[in-house]
DNA sequence: ACTGAAAGAAGCTAACT
DNA sequence: AGTTAGCTTCTTTCAGT
């Protein structure tokens, strides 16, 4: 008797099959995370209790990992966004990098941080007031670090998002 | 009598001052977009009606632009993310690029799209199943386009998000 | 697995401080 | 601007199909 409980490895990272209804719910909640369950049900032409059970199941199965307000940084006086590619010096101790990354990702200007395998070691997506603050951010937080070899800054003219990806665990 | 109505230019793009309470609300809703108003009020130690009015005002002033479910793409069998930098051939007609971008941003693999001023003309953040799909994405949607000069693909090892930025208008 | 109904919780509005 | 109070609407559960 191979019972599910006990046979499974630490449990995580398993992929999940979604049917068409699940996919439609995910799509709607990606766009309108605060839609009422009643409206969601109406949009899908199902009973509110069904919509509710499905949505809960998506959260329980880890497909939906959270809900977030999206913020207009331009309205907050941070009308300039930039993407900064960073290359690290070879031979830097791994935990120095981890500490550094942890600090960078706490900075209020930072929106996203990508750790890469490629020409750049990571990229930082920031929102600031103007180009002088971009420069200031790079100088104060990146290029002065001993293990940062180089940075490459690009201004962001347009930004489009097709959903919100969960951060990696 | 300078009445507000009629005197204002097309109205948009104005920045907004937030007080400390506003900022705390934005911070909480960025992390927990579906927190109940009662819990939000309790977290801030204010009356629910105050929290409610403040939140509404943030949405009305355009500071909060929407709410979104975040999706774990790994659970959906798209366990690999990549960032692809694209450079365009000089002399491409502007509306060709606009059409191209519009198409790219509809592709199901695409999470984000950054239009840049810098070495790359834009960057595409994608989620796919494996490295062969990365290659497939680049070949089928990018490098075959006549006005794409080159692409540079980086695998994403780690991804952190400190909030969700609204798309540009 | 989906539905319908009933109870409990939360959102929303308005009148007052 | 914030609060208290009351009405309305939604979420949530559960028994039934």
């Amino acid at each position: 008797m191979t019972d599910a409980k006990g046979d499974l490895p630490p449990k995580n990272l398993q992929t999940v099959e979604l049917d068409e209804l699940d996919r439609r719910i995910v799509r709607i909640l990606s766009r309108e995370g605060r839609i009422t369950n009643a409206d969601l049900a109406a949009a899908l032409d199902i009973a509110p209790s069904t919509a509710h059970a499905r949505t809960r199941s998506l959260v329980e199965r880890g497909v939906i990992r959270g809900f977030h307000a999206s913020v207009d940084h331009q309205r907050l006086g941070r009308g300039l966004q930039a993407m900064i590619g960073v290359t690290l010096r070879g031979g830097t101790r791994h935990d120095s990098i981890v500490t550094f990354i942890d600090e960078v990702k706490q900075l209020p200007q930072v929106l996203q941080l990508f750790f890469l395998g490629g020409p750049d070691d990571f990229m930082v997506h920031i929102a600031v007031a103007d180009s002088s603050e971009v420069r200031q951010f790079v100088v104060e937080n990146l290029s002065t670090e001993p293990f940062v070899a180089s940075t490459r800054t690009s201004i962001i003219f347009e930004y489009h998002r097709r959903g919100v990806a969960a951060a990696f665990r």
Side-chain angles (χ1 to χ4, degrees), chain A residues 42-107:
Chain A
L44 298 167
D45 208 34
I46 56 177
S49 48
T50 306
H52 186 258
R54 288 286 192 138
T55 302
R56 163 184 291 197
S57 161
L58 286 165
V59 173
E60 272 169 3
R61 287 183 287 170
V63 175
I64 291 174
R65 288 267 300 278
F67 293 88
H68 308 278
S70 77
V71 173
D72 188 332
H73 295 273
Q74 307 195 232
R75 286 246 188 253
L76 298 178
R78 293 199 291 246
L80 191 62
Q81 294 188 18
M83 187 68 90
I84 307 164
V86 179
T87 60
L88 298 173
R89 254 178 239 298
T92 304
R93 273 172 46 242
H94 183 258
D95 52 338
S96 304
I97 297 177
V98 171
T99 309
F100 173 51
I101 293 290
D102 275 353
E103 282 166 20
V104 169
K105 86 181 176 207
Q106 310 295 350
L107 297 168

Side-chain angles (χ1 to χ4, degrees), chain A residues 103-151:
Chain A
E103 282 166 20
V104 169
K105 86 181 176 207
Q106 310 295 350
L107 297 168
Q109 301 95 332
V110 172
L111 300 176
Q112 302 182 90
L113 211 150
F114 305 86
F115 224 126
L116 304 174
D120 293 320
D121 291 296
F122 64 92
M123 301 197 85
V124 194
H125 176 198
I126 64 170
V128 292
D130 51 44
S131 56
S132 83
E133 284 195 11
V134 176
R135 182 174 155 67
Q136 194 182 339
F137 177 87
V138 174
V139 169
E140 290 183 4
N141 302 293
L142 300 175
S143 46
T144 49
E145 292 291 336
F147 37 85
V148 168
S150 70
T151 64

Side-chain angles (χ1 to χ4, degrees), chain A residues 1-8:
Chain A
M1 317 279 162
T2 57
D3 188 39
K5 201 166 194 172
D7 275 14
L8 294 171

Side-chain angles (χ1 to χ4, degrees), chain A residues 147-163:
Chain A
F147 37 85
V148 168
S150 70
T151 64
R152 214 161 39 85
T153 301
S154 300
I155 299 303
I156 298 173
F157 294 134
E158 269 193 64
Y159 171 60
H160 299 283
R161 194 172 25 75
R162 254 186 66 83

